[in-house]
Amino acid sequence: MILTVFRSRLRAEHLHEYEETAERIEALARTMPGFVSIKTFAAGDGERVSLVAFESQAAHQAWREHPEHRRAQELGRQKFYSEYSIDVCESPRSYAWKLGA
């Protein structure tokens, strides 16, 4: 599995446009072959963290290069984020446990 850790801070003046774009891009990501999950969390100091998982490096790369995602990335640099960082990690294995399962 390939996991992207996307840390960011939003610019308040473009928040409405960001929310519309983020909703559309997340819906698109969910349709991509190999998509596993996305979760976004916000800290009290305004930092946001999104965890995006794809089944393989090829699936991740296809998402990274998708034309609409590329346009959203550019909008992010121009308008939406005051800062961001991206870490892409490969998980050699994963485990899960659930009470009662």
Side-chain angles (χ1 to χ4, degrees), residues 7-36:
R7 299 173 67 165
S8 64
R9 292 185 188 276
L10 295 173
R11 294 169 55 187
E13 64 268 26
H14 299 289
L15 190 56
H16 181 71
E17 185 179 359
Y18 165 80
E19 290 170 346
E20 289 177 348
T21 301
E23 185 176 315
R24 186 177 71 251
I25 291 299
E26 182 175 330
L28 177 62
R30 290 179 181 280
T31 70
M32 296 291 294
F35 173 84
V36 175

Side-chain angles (χ1 to χ4, degrees), residues 1-3 33-36 53-62 90:
M1 180 177 344
I2 304 298
L3 179 68
F35 173 84
V36 175
F54 280 90
E55 290 177 347
S56 67
Q57 183 65 35
H60 174 269
Q61 188 69 19
E90 187 168 5

